[in-house]
């Protein structure tokens, strides 16, 4: 066996541990009884430690070094080189973090998570404050260990969206802010509003589940290679491209909640299922970045799943499942209910128009925290100011403001922007897909989702990490990531819905 083959064999072995961890995590959220939590935590910590140990061992370093020699003498092909470069990138980042640091942040965030939950429940920021302070300090340390050129924030962002910087984000987000703030005001003032409460009714959960089965099968979710289950917070995971898991949750009064979240998670699932099986265990069978992953869920949830064409096909089927609530609601009105702009204080309840402003607020605050321009003590005040300024809303209590999201308590600083990047990538990809598939609207209207799904697989999924996000976007759309297509999409769609000039 040559040194390249040896490295791939080791990577495969490591991926068995990663998959096992994912199974434990999935089970924890879907099936595990409450009392199982303690030993599950220990089991996961043990396996995570084992993974870390193997990845940073001398033996692994030797294998990597041998492949480096092959890379430098030009003996690797493009795919082999991509695998080596990505593993080396991950390895270098891991190696820069001292073991004491890794243990410390894991300890602090696990305590902080409980304190955050308590603080949110009591709407009392003071409970969370000392923990968040500690996390911000540790994250500054992490940035110093990892190293950066521009902002310390770059070092953290790199963990989720490799290669992207705060300076680039500023450039990408500026036009969105300029467009959205006045656009949302116009929507608020529009007289052409639809009262989405008219679709609030009673939708028995077993009937919702039956509809989701029909919907997911028609859309192409393969139940031979995946499962759909229920959990408190919908998520997706995969243990292998041929074993993909997605979850949803039901709201008895609001049928759209489970439908939209299932379509979203299915989009993630299609990506995982579309990764090349033959490269399992290597970066070539992994998603590029969180932003690209999110683009796959958003494009199905929003561009497809909230389109009129999509509902021309599915609304009759939904009406068949729930004849009573929808009897007097024509498709046009239902379409407007699906695209209702809510302007909520809560990120996860917001719509595709207001969503990015929620993210920009979080991004600006966490960037300023990392750059030392903002104090952790001042976060609630600054948060509320920005919500007022960007969305015109008043935050009455911190549980609906700065305390609403779990991310910071887990040390995930630099994560939020990937949600917005997903929205932007999805609009840009969708435009390219529409160019390539000239009959897309007719296809959706007749329940043909295969051509679009295949387009995504061929252009995005099948490459795994062969390209960087930047390279992929250029290859697929001919341009770098920019906000133009998202703005165009929102402006066009919602000007029609709200009858705006
Ligand atoms: Zn998602």
């Amino acid at each position: 066996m040559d040194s390249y083959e040896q490295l791939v064999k080791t990577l495969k072995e490591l991926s068995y541990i990663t998959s096992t961890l994912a199974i434990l995590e999935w089970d924890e959220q879907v099936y595990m009884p409450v009392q199982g939590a303690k030993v599950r935590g220990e089991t996961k910590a043990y396996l995570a430690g084992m993974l870390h140990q193997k990845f940073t061992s001398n033996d692994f370093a030797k294998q990597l070094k041998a492949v480096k020699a092959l890379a430098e003498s030009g003996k690797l092909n493009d795919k082999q080189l991509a695998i080596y470069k990505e593993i080396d990138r991950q390895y270098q980042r891991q190696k820069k973090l001292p073991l004491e640091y890794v243990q410390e942040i894991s300890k602090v965030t696990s305590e902080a998570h409980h304190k955050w939950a308590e603080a949110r429940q009591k709407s009392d920021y003071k409970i969370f404050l000392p923990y968040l302070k500690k996390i911000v300090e540790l994250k500054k340390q992490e940035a110093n260990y990892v190293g950066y050129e521009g902002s310390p924030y770059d070092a953290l962002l790199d963990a989720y969206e490799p290669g992207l910087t705060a300076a680039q984000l500023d450039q990408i987000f500026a036009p969105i802010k300029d467009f959205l703030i006045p656009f949302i005001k116009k929507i608020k003032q529009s007289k052409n509003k639809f009262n989405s409460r008219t679709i609030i009714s009673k939708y028995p959960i077993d009937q919702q589940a039956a509809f989701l089965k029909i919907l997911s099968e028609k859309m192409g979710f393969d139940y031979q290679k995946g499962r759909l289950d229920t959990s408190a917070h919908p998520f997706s995971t995969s243990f292998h491209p041929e074993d993909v898991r997605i979850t949803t949750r039901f709201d008895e009064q609001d049928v759209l909640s489970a439908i939209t979240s299932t379509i979203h998670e299915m989009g993630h699932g299609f990506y995982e299922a579309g990764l090349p099986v033959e490269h399992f265990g290597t970066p070539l069978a992994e998603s590029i970045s969180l932003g690209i992953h999110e683009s796959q869920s958003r494009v199905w949830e929003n561009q497809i799943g909230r389109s009129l064409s999509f509902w021309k096909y599915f609304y009759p089927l939904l009406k068949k499942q729930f004849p009573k609530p929808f009897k007097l609601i024509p498709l046009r009105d239902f379409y407007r209910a699906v695209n209702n702009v809510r302007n909520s204080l809560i990120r996860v309840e917001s719509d595709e128009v207001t969503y990015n402003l929620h993210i920009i607020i979080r991004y600006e605050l966490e960037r300023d925290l990392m750059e030392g321009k903002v104090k952790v003590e001042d976060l609630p005040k600054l948060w509320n100011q920005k919500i007022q300024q960007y969305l015109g809303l008043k935050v009455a209590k911190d549980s609906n403001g700065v305390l609403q999201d779990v991310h910071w308590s887990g040390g995930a600083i630099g994560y939020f922007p990937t949600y917005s990047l997903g929205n932007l990538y999805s609009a840009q990809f969708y435009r390219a897909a529409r160019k390539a598939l000239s009959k897309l609207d007719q296809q959706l209207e007749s329940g043909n989702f295969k051509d679009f799904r295949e387009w995504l697989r061929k252009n995005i999924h099948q490459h795994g990490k062969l390209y960087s996000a930047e390279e992929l976007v250029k290859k697929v759309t001919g341009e770098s990531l920019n906000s133009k297509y998202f703005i165009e999409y929102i402006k066009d769609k919602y000007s029609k819905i709200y009858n705006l000039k």
Side-chain angles (χ1 to χ4, degrees):
M1 200 185 311
D2 75 13
S3 48
Y4 173 77
E5 284 167 6
Q6 176 60 52
L7 180 71
V8 168
K9 183 171 171 277
T10 307
L11 290 177
K12 261 194 187 150
E13 287 165 5
L14 294 178
S15 75
Y16 297 141
I17 307 177
T18 314
S19 292
T20 307
L21 274 164
I23 295 168
L24 292 174
E25 184 70 42
W26 172 84
D27 174 76
E28 187 175 335
Q29 304 212 32
V30 175
Y31 281 124
M32 190 188 74
V34 191
Q35 290 289 323
K38 191 170 171 285
V39 76
R40 182 60 51 90
E42 288 167 14
T43 313
K44 276 173 18 189
Y46 178 78
L47 287 177
M50 188 201 248
L51 189 63
H52 180 80
Q53 232 171 26
K54 284 186 184 283
F55 191 69
T56 51
S57 68
N58 289 336
D59 185 44
F60 190 77
K62 257 189 240 159
Q63 291 183 28
L64 202 57
K65 208 173 154 197
V67 177
K68 187 181 181 195
L70 291 180
E72 281 169 355
S73 57
K75 288 193 179 117
L76 298 182
N77 65 34
D78 286 355
K79 286 187 172 175
Q80 293 169 330
L81 197 61
I83 291 175
Y84 161 71
K85 277 188 176 163
E86 174 57 21
I87 294 299
D88 187 56
R89 191 187 74 82
Q90 292 174 13
Y91 178 77
Q92 298 303 339
R93 189 176 170 106
Q94 287 260 353
K95 231 183 56 179
K96 284 177 188 163
L97 300 176
L99 185 63
E100 308 83 71
Y101 172 81
V102 176
Q103 286 167 338
E104 172 77 358
I105 188 106
S106 147
K107 203 178 120 233
V108 170
T109 51
S110 123
E111 281 173 55
H113 179 78
H114 297 289
K115 291 292 170 184
W116 163 79
E118 189 192 335
R120 185 170 83 150
Q121 204 242 329
K122 296 180 178 162
S123 195
D124 186 354
Y125 183 67
K126 282 197 305 294
I127 298 173
F128 184 42
L129 176 64
Y131 295 88
L132 186 55
K133 263 183 153 171
K134 185 83 195 149
I135 287 170
V136 169
E137 278 319 303
L138 284 168
K139 285 282 148 175
K140 283 182 183 165
Q141 268 183 38
E142 182 174 327
N144 286 330
Y145 287 135
V146 172
Y148 55 88
E149 277 173 26
S151 165
Y153 189 78
D154 298 349
L156 304 184
L157 186 60
D158 193 70
Y160 306 110
E161 202 62 24
L164 200 73
T165 64
Q168 284 172 304
L169 273 183
D170 289 338
Q171 249 181 15
I172 294 167
F173 286 163
I176 298 184
K177 244 165 93 172
D178 289 346
F179 162 71
L180 282 180
I181 295 173
F183 192 71
I184 291 166
K185 276 195 189 134
K186 274 196 198 167
I187 290 180
K188 265 192 190 168
Q189 287 155 4
S190 162
K191 295 200 170 52
N192 205 32
K193 285 207 182 75
F194 176 73
N195 182 4
S196 60
R197 293 200 64 82
T198 51
I199 67 161
I200 301 282
S201 185
K202 194 168 158 43
Y203 303 95
I205 285 168
D206 56 334
Q207 286 184 41
Q208 290 195 44
F211 179 73
L212 286 185
K213 186 85 198 299
I214 297 169
L215 177 121
S216 55
E217 277 180 341
K218 298 258 185 212
M219 286 178 69
F221 188 75
D222 185 348
Y223 282 90
Q224 297 296 312
K225 298 177 180 172
R227 284 185 60 90
L228 167 62
D229 291 274
T230 316
S231 64
H233 302 282
F235 71 101
S236 68
T237 184
S238 98
F239 317 138
H240 181 272
E242 292 175 335
D243 191 349
V244 173
R245 309 296 174 97
I246 60 173
T247 71
T248 193
R249 68 173 160 204
F250 295 100
D251 178 338
E252 273 229 299
Q253 299 196 321
D254 178 8
V255 72
L256 286 179
S257 162
I259 292 173
T260 50
S261 86
T262 304
I263 297 175
H264 179 101
E265 299 308 336
M266 217 166 11
H268 282 304
F270 287 146
Y271 190 2
E272 293 291 326
L275 294 167
V277 181
E278 66 275 21
H279 292 297
F280 174 69
T282 77
L284 290 187
E286 284 168 14
S287 62
I288 296 182
S289 69
L290 287 187
I292 297 289
H293 221 309
E294 194 65 7
S295 77
Q296 298 308 291
S297 56
R298 299 284 171 156
V299 79
W300 282 103
E301 180 193 348
N302 293 331
Q303 275 85 359
I304 300 288
R306 294 184 200 275
S307 70
L308 192 57
S309 304
F310 180 89
W311 284 108
K312 273 186 187 164
Y313 179 73
F314 276 117
Y315 192 47
L317 298 174
L318 185 69
K319 272 177 129 167
K320 211 161 122 193
Q321 189 78 46
F322 302 101
K324 226 176 110 199
F326 294 120
K327 205 169 76 193
L328 295 171
I329 300 175
L331 172 66
R332 267 274 151 200
D333 285 351
F334 178 76
Y335 168 68
R336 296 181 58 193
V338 173
N339 290 290
N340 189 36
V341 177
R342 281 180 295 270
N343 205 20
S344 166
L345 283 171
I346 310 295
R347 175 183 62 87
V348 296
E349 288 171 10
S350 67
D351 47 82
E352 58 176 338
V353 180
T354 53
Y355 194 93
N356 287 325
L357 287 179
H358 286 274
I359 296 306
I360 292 173
I361 288 170
R362 288 154 177 78
Y363 159 65
E364 290 176 345
L365 290 173
E366 58 181 23
R367 177 202 59 199
D368 289 352
L369 275 175
M370 290 307 294
E371 292 180 355
K373 291 176 182 156
V374 153
K375 283 209 221 110
V376 185
E377 287 86 343
D378 297 333
L379 273 187
K381 192 181 75 198
L382 295 167
W383 180 288
N384 299 353
Q385 278 171 5
K386 282 183 189 283
I387 286 279
Q388 170 75 49
Q389 204 184 335
Y390 297 174
L391 293 163
L393 298 172
K394 255 196 150 56
V395 181
K397 46 181 191 177
D398 288 337
S399 56
N400 285 339
V402 70
L403 289 173
Q404 66 181 269
D405 289 313
V406 65
H407 303 60
W408 289 340
S409 76
I413 296 177
Y415 187 111
F416 280 119
T418 65
Y419 291 122
S420 276
L421 292 170
N423 290 333
L424 306 188
Y425 284 131
S426 74
Q428 200 164 329
F429 287 145
Y430 188 61
R431 188 173 174 275
R434 290 189 71 84
K435 264 193 185 166
L437 306 169
S438 58
K439 293 196 173 66
L440 183 58
D441 287 334
Q442 291 99 303
Q443 287 170 346
L444 299 177
E445 280 167 30
S446 62
N448 168 3
F449 303 99
K450 192 169 170 247
D451 290 53
F452 182 64
R453 220 177 48 240
E454 277 300 303
W455 185 89
L456 292 175
R457 195 188 59 75
K458 237 180 77 199
N459 287 282
I460 298 166
H461 308 168
Q462 67 152 349
H463 298 308
K465 270 193 169 91
L466 182 58
Y467 306 109
S468 68
E470 169 74 14
E471 287 165 348
L472 182 84
V473 174
K474 271 200 187 140
K475 190 173 143 62
V476 177
T477 72
E479 295 176 59
S480 296
L481 174 68
N482 64 75
S483 48
K484 203 170 107 194
Y485 301 107
F486 172 77
I487 293 173
E488 249 177 46
Y489 160 72
I490 294 290
K491 197 172 172 181
D492 185 52
K493 179 173 172 183
Y494 288 88
S495 294
K496 280 181 194 143
I497 292 176
Y498 286 92
N499 208 1
L500 306 176
K501 294 273 136 49

